[in-house]
Amino acid sequence: MPQRADNVSMESVYQKGAYTMQRMTAKQRFLAALNGQPVDRPPAASIVSVATYELMDIAGAHFPAANVEPEPMATLAAAAHEVLGFDSVMPIFSIAQEATALGCRVDWSKTDMMPTPTYAPWADREAEIKLPDGFPDSFLEDKYVQCALEAIRLLKRHFGDEVMILGKVMGPWTLSYHVYNMQEFLCDTLMDPDRVRRSLDVLSPVPVVFAKAQLEAGADAIVWADHATGDVIRNTMYRDFLLPPHQALIPQVPAPVILHCCGRTLDRVQYFCQAGFAAYHFESANPAEEMVAETAGRMKLAGNINNPTTLLARGPEEVRREAQRAIDAGVDIISPECAVPLQTPVANLKAMAQTCRDNLRER
Ligand SMILES: [Zn+2]
């Protein structure tokens, strides 16, 4: 793995009046922000993926190896801290890590795109809705699941308790998109709601089993992606189909859980607040001020720097302005809104982290 950059040294001490204040480590800072405790500055976070072509070249770890082999996966993840100066690292870049173990087909060979599931075993209406035989052992022995767990172990060995290590799982709604097929699944929320409930029910143990294995491997918190977004379903469908499973599942994860759900979500974040998540990672489609007002005192927020316009297409100055706006609005953890496009310039991601460092405050 690359050496730690000097500008992100965790040992630096600075003078403040009569006091000498020890800077927080990246992990202390992230955990404090997640728990609503005072921080020396807002953390900059890789919540889903900050893998880019440029970062792959700098780290010397590229797709597809960084999706299927533990060492390059950990090396690319570590670059979020060591090259970009972020406070967290997250090695599971795609949404497909657990899909093969559930009977989907995934093309892992591409160098220029994220792997995505291509075959949904339950799309056949005759297919029985059940997990593959041998779950959970067979799931945990799957090559791609093992790869993620080993990458987390390598990151833990490398960073110890200095840097926040995030794991990531897909919740039962997103897993249904993969195993059941997204169009079929969404149609059935209206046409065959019992089959939808059965899918959610059968898939529910998967993220809990995967999350626990990631925590045992060394993850400090879990990102839980469940794309029940306003772009595809009504807010009442989240409330009726997914809130009850979330309320049952999230307490089973013995660590803070961060919900990731892209798109417009202001109309359902009240329900997210009832599900037991420590934080919610949200998109720039939702103004930060409104999201802060909707969640105040109930759930911490991570996000919401725009990907396609700001991080991909604009320059460091615009990134700094947008990051500062999110900080001023009260977003607790500053992060790209979703997995960044692979063409995103490293200079823009560094500018986001630098803006967080420029906001040093008295604890
Ligand atoms: Zn997303």
Side-chain angles (χ1 to χ4, degrees), residues 263-283:
R264 288 172 293 111
T265 50
L266 273 169
D267 68 348
R268 61 206 62 201
V269 72
Q270 293 300 320
Y271 300 130
F272 296 166
C273 286
Q274 298 171 26
F277 296 108
Y280 171 46
H281 178 225
F282 72 108
E283 268 199 7

Side-chain angles (χ1 to χ4, degrees), residues 24-47:
M24 303 177 95
T25 65
K27 179 175 166 179
Q28 285 169 342
R29 178 178 301 119
F30 196 110
L31 279 176
L34 209 49
N35 293 324
Q37 292 156 351
V39 287
D40 55 355
R41 62 164 176 81
S46 163
I47 301 280

Side-chain angles (χ1 to χ4, degrees), residues 122 129-131 172-173 175-177 179-181 185 193-205:
W122 302 348
I129 294 201
K130 69 177 189 65
L131 292 177
W173 192 272
L175 287 179
S176 293
Y177 288 170
V179 187
Y180 193 126
N181 175 289
F185 181 74
D194 284 346
R195 198 165 187 262
V196 163
R197 286 206 173 81
R198 170 100 185 120
S199 175
L200 295 172
D201 192 42
V202 166
L203 290 167
S204 280

Side-chain angles (χ1 to χ4, degrees), residues 90-109:
M90 215 302 302
I92 304 166
F93 307 114
S94 81
I95 54 164
Q97 208 69 34
E98 55 268 76
T100 306
L102 299 174
C104 301
R105 274 197 289 274
V106 178
D107 182 355
W108 295 98
S109 70

Side-chain angles (χ1 to χ4, degrees), residues 214-360:
Q214 291 178 25
L215 293 171
E216 255 169 54
D220 301 305
I222 297 293
V223 177
W224 181 294
D226 247 343
H227 298 87
T229 159
D231 302 346
V232 288
I233 60 160
R234 286 197 303 275
N235 60 348
T236 48
M237 292 170 84
Y238 174 79
R239 180 195 65 192
D240 298 342
F241 282 108
L242 195 52
L243 178 57
H246 277 173
Q247 285 172 324
L249 297 172
I250 303 310
Q252 294 179 40
V253 180
V257 181
I258 302 167
L259 173 67
H260 171 77
C261 176
C262 341
R264 288 172 293 111
T265 50
L266 273 169
D267 68 348
R268 61 206 62 201
V269 72
Q270 293 300 320
Y271 300 130
F272 296 166
C273 286
Q274 298 171 26
F277 296 108
Y280 171 46
H281 178 225
F282 72 108
E283 268 199 7
S284 60
N286 314 278
E289 294 78 6
E290 287 179 49
M291 195 57 87
V292 169
E294 288 292 314
T295 55
R298 296 192 291 164
M299 202 167 55
K300 297 298 154 198
L301 288 173
N304 69 333
I305 311 308
N306 177 284
N307 279 345
T309 307
T310 310
L311 284 169
L312 176 64
R314 299 236 164 103
E317 265 321 298
E318 289 93 338
V319 172
R320 292 174 75 102
R321 268 201 296 279
E322 194 166 317
Q324 191 62 51
R325 261 209 306 277
I327 292 168
D328 294 343
V331 176
D332 304 280
I333 296 165
I334 304 304
S335 159
E337 59 186 346
C338 190
V340 299
L342 295 171
Q343 301 85 350
T344 304
V346 155
N348 282 354
L349 295 168
K350 281 184 172 174
M352 192 205 83
Q354 184 59 47
T355 310
C356 292
R357 285 198 293 279
D358 290 345
N359 277 264
L360 210 56

